[in-house]
Amino acid sequence: MQRVDTCFDANKARPAKVRICTPGVSALASMHLHPFCVKEVVECRTSGYHSETDSCTVSKAPNGPTVKMHLQNLHTMEELNFIGNCLKGSRPVLSFDAAFEKQAHTRLLKEMLTQIFGVPKSSRRVKPFVDHVMGFTLAGGKIWVRVFQINESEPGKKKPVDGEEMEVDLAPKKKGKTELDVQLVEIGPRFVLTPIVIQESSFGGPIIYENKEFVSPNQIRADLRRTKAGKYNRRTEAAKDNKIKRGDLGLTTHGGRKKEKDPLSDSVLFA
């Protein structure tokens, strides 16, 4: 039997929002070891409402700050179907673009992302391996997140696309420790985050940063619907004006009286 979420209401045409972690819940769950909490927004797609907007709010409990971001271009590992892989429970290496150090709000974003994805060595259920890299690139006001596998291979072996190893003749091996060729292979997932606002407190407080260039996807869709509705209204008004002009010219009357309907017209036959 499938469990139905209590926040889902199919009778309402508005999205239901779920706060996964709030400051109060964080205190009860002893979240002081993991200070950043994530609030996910679940959009309920009912017959009366359809929305494709995904947002993510990250907050540090209990004193803040809070960052609200727009999540887009999310692709899971199953969708991408890359060849690489990584161990479950391994710790990632975080790689940040140098552009994060240029402004104050980007330095704050870097610190928050570091504390979210940077798993400490003493954390439970973490394996003592580092076999993948998470890359954060700042471009166009957006944060592009990619995950790569650290692929190590011996210099005397070349790995083609089909996965079979081929021997390659190289210089004679030197005695001692063998150097390995390190390559990065993308494994997914990948997504893009657009910062919208940064608040001073946890899940509230005064706004200390606002992205003036961000336009909500709901606003874009509303503008498109308004544009289509404007085209229809202009066609309707043009048809009315044409009918009035034909009446002024006497084209809608027959000898000063109203033109009789044709008994074989579609409006009479299929009335």
Side-chain angles (χ1 to χ4, degrees), residues 208-227:
I208 58 179
Y209 170 78
E210 183 177 3
N211 188 0
K212 301 291 184 180
E213 299 179 356
F214 176 76
V215 181
S216 173
N218 294 330
Q219 182 65 32
I220 296 175
R221 287 191 289 267
D223 293 341
L224 292 176
R225 288 194 297 267
R226 196 177 297 111
T227 303

Side-chain angles (χ1 to χ4, degrees), residues 174-203:
K174 297 181 180 180
K175 295 183 179 180
K177 190 175 181 181
T178 306
E179 295 183 358
L180 300 177
D181 291 338
V182 180
Q183 296 179 351
L184 295 181
V185 181
E186 186 173 2
I187 59 177
R190 58 167 65 169
F191 55 91
V192 180
L193 296 172
T194 306
I196 304 175
V197 292
I198 300 179
Q199 295 176 297
E200 185 177 359
S201 303
S202 179
F203 294 104

Side-chain angles (χ1 to χ4, degrees), residues 74-77 80 145-147 186-191:
L74 174 62
H75 301 284
T76 60
M77 299 178 66
L80 298 173
V145 183
R146 298 289 185 269
V147 182
E186 186 173 2
I187 59 177
R190 58 167 65 169
F191 55 91

Side-chain angles (χ1 to χ4, degrees), residues 35-37 57-68 108-109 112 197-204 206 208:
F36 286 93
C37 309
T57 301
V58 181
S59 178
K60 181 177 181 180
N63 299 323
T66 301
V67 180
K68 183 176 182 182
L108 175 61
L109 291 173
M112 296 183 74
V197 292
I198 300 179
Q199 295 176 297
E200 185 177 359
S201 303
S202 179
F203 294 104
I208 58 179

Side-chain angles (χ1 to χ4, degrees), residues 41-232:
V41 177
V42 179
E43 302 292 346
C44 300
R45 292 170 174 82
T46 62
S47 57
Y49 185 85
H50 178 75
S51 177
E52 299 178 354
T53 303
D54 297 324
S55 61
C56 175
T57 301
V58 181
S59 178
K60 181 177 181 180
N63 299 323
T66 301
V67 180
K68 183 176 182 182
M69 296 175 286
H70 176 228
L71 175 65
Q72 59 185 356
N73 298 338
L74 174 62
H75 301 284
T76 60
M77 299 178 66
E78 184 178 0
E79 294 175 354
L80 298 173
N81 197 18
F82 286 136
I83 330 172
N85 197 359
C86 65
L87 294 174
K88 183 179 180 181
S90 60
R91 298 170 57 239
V93 176
L94 304 183
S95 175
F96 287 91
D97 188 7
F100 278 94
E101 299 293 337
K102 294 183 179 180
Q103 298 180 358
H105 71 279
T106 55
R107 289 195 295 268
L108 175 61
L109 291 173
K110 177 182 177 180
E111 180 63 25
M112 296 183 74
L113 293 173
T114 302
Q115 296 197 29
I116 292 172
F117 296 103
V119 182
K121 296 181 179 180
S122 58
S123 180
R124 296 182 301 172
R125 302 187 183 91
V126 173
K127 295 181 174 61
F129 302 107
V130 177
D131 61 349
H132 63 286
V133 178
M134 292 192 66
F136 301 89
T137 305
L138 189 62
K142 304 176 186 295
I143 302 174
W144 303 73
V145 183
R146 298 289 185 269
V147 182
F148 302 91
Q149 175 195 0
I150 302 176
N151 188 14
E152 297 180 352
S153 60
E154 296 182 4
K157 293 183 179 180
K158 184 179 179 182
K159 202 169 186 179
V161 181
D162 55 0
E164 298 180 357
E165 293 186 351
M166 297 172 52
E167 293 290 342
V168 180
D169 294 334
L170 295 176
K173 297 182 179 179
K174 297 181 180 180
K175 295 183 179 180
K177 190 175 181 181
T178 306
E179 295 183 358
L180 300 177
D181 291 338
V182 180
Q183 296 179 351
L184 295 181
V185 181
E186 186 173 2
I187 59 177
R190 58 167 65 169
F191 55 91
V192 180
L193 296 172
T194 306
I196 304 175
V197 292
I198 300 179
Q199 295 176 297
E200 185 177 359
S201 303
S202 179
F203 294 104
I207 297 176
I208 58 179
Y209 170 78
E210 183 177 3
N211 188 0
K212 301 291 184 180
E213 299 179 356
F214 176 76
V215 181
S216 173
N218 294 330
Q219 182 65 32
I220 296 175
R221 287 191 289 267
D223 293 341
L224 292 176
R225 288 194 297 267
R226 196 177 297 111
T227 303
K228 293 180 180 179
K231 292 180 180 178
Y232 173 77

Side-chain angles (χ1 to χ4, degrees), residues 244-255:
I244 293 174
K245 290 179 181 179
R246 290 174 63 86
D248 295 340
L249 296 174
L251 300 177
T252 57
T253 60
H254 184 69

